[in-house]
Amino acid sequence: MVENTRTPIGRIVAASLVGTTIEWYDFFLYGSAAALVFPALFFPSSDPLTGTLLALLTYAVGFIARPVGALVFGHFGDRLGRKKLLVLSLLMMGGATFLIGCLPTHAAVGALAPLLLTLLRLIQGFALGGEWGGAVLIVSEHGDPKRRGFWASWPQAGVPSGNLLATAVLAILAAVQTDEAFTSWGWRIPFLLSGVLVLIGLWIRLSIDESPIFQQALANTKPSQSMPIVDVFKYHRRDVLIAIGARFGENVSYYVITAFVLVYATTSAGLSKPVVLNAVLIASAVHFVTIPMWGALSDKLGRRPVYLLGAAGVGLWAFAFFPLIDTKNFAAVTLAVTVGLILHGAMYGPQAAYFSELFATRMRYSGVSIGSQLASIVAGALAPLIAVALLDAYDSAFPVMIYMAVAAAITLVTVYVSRETKDRDLATLGTPEEVSTTR
């Protein structure tokens, strides 16, 4: 086992957190814009609700590209190392986001506009598919194993941090601009800011060292003749299914709480955009703080108990979430989103360490990435679309509540039948056989 690393764990965490914050800023910025302005700019011939569905469909396209990114980045991450792929994913995501800010609209170039938007969204999804696995692994494979849940939860905190940053920029612009100015040109500003943020993240990521556990495995084990993803499905089929099931309720709940809420609150509940954005802003700040707390708690109690608490909590909270939104009261709306995200954090905080502990080192990047990103297609990608379709079909939020509860139940069952992983030593899990002896 590698006792010392050249890069302190604090710097590793900072590099991972800053990078994931920037990448999720890019990703969530698109989601917010898809709900608020893209229907009018890129799909103007449709009625408002259909335009929203089409815009969210391009949002879902990014999720479809994520497993492809997971395969490609996972393969090279398991062969070449974590750091190189993290730098590449950051450049791809930031470049695509910057170019979205430069796109002509439907009024200027017609059908070419949504086609270009979809292409850049595909690049975003491809990059993010490789980002998450590398970011959590480079932290999980550094530092003290007894605090792995805490340290590995910090890249997870990059999600609310990125959402916080994206929502804050949109909220500021919505407050200082008229709707006409924001729709005309103001929406481009946060996308163009991504270029500056990427330079900052790139500088930090280039300053860290490669994972010592990966370096040790590279030196001590012979590379498999098969592709890493082939070995994942040969030795870790059960673990991939565990990752998919564990992520299902977490992913559905998150995108309903943070993305669909923008549609529901501004249409069915009749709230203004600034009110909803400010509620999500406050809730995201609380989410950022509580994720590492849940990760630390999983170091004490185990990954499973904390994860089960979050899944059960989200499933029950769904039935309070929408009635609170319907009050049209800012405090109630903020409470609905905040509690939802706190409970979501109980799943998301331990998730990085939990998934890292499922796979052998030489196929860990592939296993973690493909397990999480396959879930993203059936869960996160479809969640806003299914929620909007249910609202349109039944003119009620109750079917959406049932949808969230069923998703949470899938995660509850999956995690309940899985085994605890917190005491596994990643440094000894160099081969599939070594993983199997810990089960």
Side-chain angles (χ1 to χ4, degrees):
M1 179 176 177
V2 177
E3 298 293 338
N4 298 302
T5 63
R6 289 172 292 172
T7 307
I9 186 63
R11 193 185 304 170
I12 295 291
V13 169
S16 190
L17 175 60
V18 169
T20 53
T21 296
I22 293 170
E23 297 222 18
W24 283 102
Y25 164 83
D26 294 347
F27 207 75
F28 284 124
L29 185 60
Y30 188 101
S32 298
L36 298 175
V37 298
F38 283 177
L41 295 173
F42 292 93
F43 308 96
S45 60
S46 309
D47 65 83
L49 190 57
T50 303
T52 299
L53 281 169
L54 290 172
L56 289 175
L57 186 60
T58 64
Y59 177 70
V61 163
F63 286 85
I64 295 171
R66 282 164 68 168
V68 181
L71 283 171
V72 174
F73 280 82
H75 173 83
F76 289 103
D78 282 326
R79 292 291 173 89
L80 304 177
R82 315 331 189 182
K83 176 181 173 179
K84 296 181 181 68
L85 277 299
L86 283 174
V87 170
L88 179 60
S89 68
L90 185 64
L91 289 172
M92 290 184 67
M93 173 67 87
T97 305
F98 181 84
L99 290 176
I100 288 174
C102 302
L103 278 181
T105 64
H106 189 280
V109 296
L112 182 61
L115 288 176
L116 291 173
L117 181 67
T118 302
L119 174 62
L120 292 174
R121 181 61 175 172
L122 281 168
I123 295 173
Q124 276 192 326
F126 180 84
L128 190 57
E131 159 68 22
W132 185 81
V136 300
L137 288 189
I138 204 162
V139 177
S140 294
E141 294 176 346
H142 277 84
D144 181 6
K146 293 182 179 179
R147 302 189 69 194
R148 185 182 300 128
F150 172 71
W151 290 122
S153 68
W154 280 102
Q156 303 290 78
V159 176
S161 179
N163 197 10
L164 182 67
L165 185 57
T167 305
V169 172
L170 288 170
I172 291 171
L173 291 174
V176 301
Q177 288 185 315
T178 64
D179 285 345
E180 292 76 15
F182 181 76
T183 302
S184 176
W185 57 271
W187 67 272
R188 297 181 183 275
I189 295 174
F191 286 92
L192 297 175
L193 282 175
S194 180
V196 177
L197 296 175
V198 166
L199 292 177
I200 297 172
L202 186 62
W203 173 69
I204 296 175
R205 282 200 167 173
L206 287 172
S207 70
I208 64 173
D209 294 309
E210 181 56 79
S211 156
I213 288 178
F214 173 78
Q215 290 178 320
Q216 175 180 293
L218 190 66
N220 296 339
T221 62
K222 294 181 180 180
S224 171
Q225 297 301 310
S226 304
M227 295 174 61
I229 190 59
V230 173
D231 287 338
V232 166
F233 284 103
K234 180 179 179 180
Y235 296 105
H236 289 288
R237 286 189 298 273
R238 179 177 181 273
D239 298 315
V240 170
L241 291 175
I242 288 172
I244 292 172
R247 191 153 161 78
F248 195 88
E250 173 267 308
N251 226 213
V252 167
S253 63
Y254 188 80
Y255 288 105
V256 170
I257 292 170
T258 60
F260 174 69
V261 71
L262 297 174
V263 177
Y264 181 80
T266 56
T267 55
S268 295
L271 292 166
S272 66
K273 293 176 185 176
V275 168
V276 186
L277 288 170
N278 287 333
V280 175
L281 188 69
I282 294 169
S284 295
V286 176
H287 197 208
F288 175 82
V289 173
T290 55
I291 283 177
M293 295 171 62
W294 289 119
L297 187 62
S298 77
D299 287 328
K300 302 293 184 182
L301 303 181
R303 317 300 181 214
R304 290 176 68 252
V306 178
Y307 215 110
L308 289 170
L309 173 64
V314 162
L316 293 173
W317 187 249
F319 295 95
F321 180 79
F322 290 100
L324 286 170
I325 301 294
D326 288 335
T327 66
K328 303 182 182 181
N329 177 275
F330 176 71
V333 173
T334 303
L335 176 67
V337 182
T338 301
V339 173
L341 288 183
I342 289 174
L343 293 170
H344 170 270
M347 293 182 282
Y348 206 57
Q351 189 180 95
Y354 181 32
F355 288 7
S356 298
E357 292 156 352
L358 293 174
F359 300 95
T361 301
R362 292 302 301 272
M363 61 192 73
R364 186 171 292 138
Y365 201 142
S366 296
V368 166
S369 297
I370 199 64
S372 64
Q373 300 311 329
L374 282 176
S376 295
I377 291 183
V378 295
L382 298 180
L385 290 169
I386 290 175
V388 170
L390 288 172
L391 179 64
D392 186 33
Y394 295 96
D395 195 27
S396 168
F398 187 73
V400 184
M401 301 178 201
I402 298 297
Y403 172 50
M404 288 180 66
V406 170
I410 291 172
T411 291
L412 268 172
V413 172
T414 301
V415 177
Y416 181 78
V417 301
S418 67
R419 296 185 180 182
E420 184 55 62
T421 63
K422 82 177 182 69
D423 293 324
R424 289 182 179 176
D425 184 355
L426 297 187
T428 66
L429 300 181
T431 67
E433 291 76 15
E434 291 167 337
V435 173
S436 64
T437 62
T438 67
R439 290 179 177 167

